[in-house]
Amino acid sequence: MFNINFVFDRRFRGNTPDTSVYHAQYRNIDKFSFSDSLKLSGQASDAGFVLLQKVFHKLKFSAEAFLVFISASTFLFYLIACDNFKVNRIYFFIFYLSSIFFIGQFTTIRHELATSALFAGISMQNNKKYYLKIIFFVISILIHYSIAIVLPLVFLVLKNTSLAFKIFNSSLYFIFLKYILNEKLSYFERLSSVFEPTSNNNFFFSFLNLSTLKNVILIVFFTMLFMKMKKSKISIIFFHLCIYGLLFRIIFFDVVTIGSRIGNILNHSEIFLLASCLQYFRKEIRILIFLIYSLCSMLVFLKVVDRNFITKYFEPINSIY
């Protein structure tokens, strides 16, 4: 509840990275045309998010109220996903609030909102509400265009086909993406402004980073667990998405935003998978799993997030323009 209060209480969003960016955008959104609004603050935004900003601004909502709405919508979409997946809400949010993904509420606001909408859409597969699935997928793409990159893999996972078919087609897709992003990146102005190569091009070094190692450990854990328990269709979907998230990190080791940010979209499935697997363990083991996961997330947080991030929670907002 303490973490949730940090998101929803406008005083405690402080001067965190995306908070200051979108606070400034929102305050000035009426001064720009729709097309110009897509390029505010020197970084690209996406049509759905800009449209949402303009609607809320027209309705005279404050920037703080808009940011609270975004966070509330993110939590709501995850709740919808939990209910449809039949995943324990409490277990899910215990893991989510202790994960590196929760920091996205402050550092990658659009990314986290779009990801929650994506999983809400995936969850509609369980109830066969296909029209709602499409609606959520469209919302997620409009909020953050990067969702379009992972959707082909999501459709492949949801499709009732053989494992060999999935492996063959996903391999072709990764080869296609690697070629496009390496050879034709200059043709995509928006991509070239966001997806910059890492300063370290060493594959071995990239593979050993903490985020990737955490993914590997989780996949090994889930693999061992599946050998001893009955696998549900939903758990298999989550497991495949986890593997694809890891593959993004490995294959695109030389393009940091593709490897980490796109990979993280799919890696959110680890939260659902952990929450759904806890029922198979006694109380002491559940606590141990949570503590180990929290420790791993904390180590990743300390490695990848600005060391001044915590203090920024309490700093007054500093609009960038």
Side-chain angles (χ1 to χ4, degrees), residues 6 202 307:
F6 259 46
N202 188 286
R307 295 181 183 275

Side-chain angles (χ1 to χ4, degrees), residues 3 37 40 47 71 106 145 152 158 176 188 200 202 232 252 265 279 297 313:
N3 283 340
S37 297
L40 284 179
S71 291
F106 308 93
Y145 294 153
L158 296 180
F176 169 76
F188 300 91
N200 192 314
N202 188 286
S232 67
F252 297 100
I265 293 173
Q279 60 180 306
S297 297
Y313 272 118

Side-chain angles (χ1 to χ4, degrees), residues 252-263:
F252 297 100
F253 71 95
D254 54 341
V255 187
V256 63
T257 311
I258 286 285
S260 60
R261 184 168 294 189
I262 304 299

Side-chain angles (χ1 to χ4, degrees), residues 31 56 71 97 111 155 178 220 270 275:
K31 300 176 183 177
F56 267 72
S71 291
L97 294 174
H111 181 272
F155 285 127
K178 187 70 173 177
V220 170
E270 73 189 36

Side-chain angles (χ1 to χ4, degrees), residues 45 81 112 127 135 236 257 295:
S45 193
E112 193 61 22
N127 294 342
I135 290 174
I236 292 174
T257 311
L295 177 61

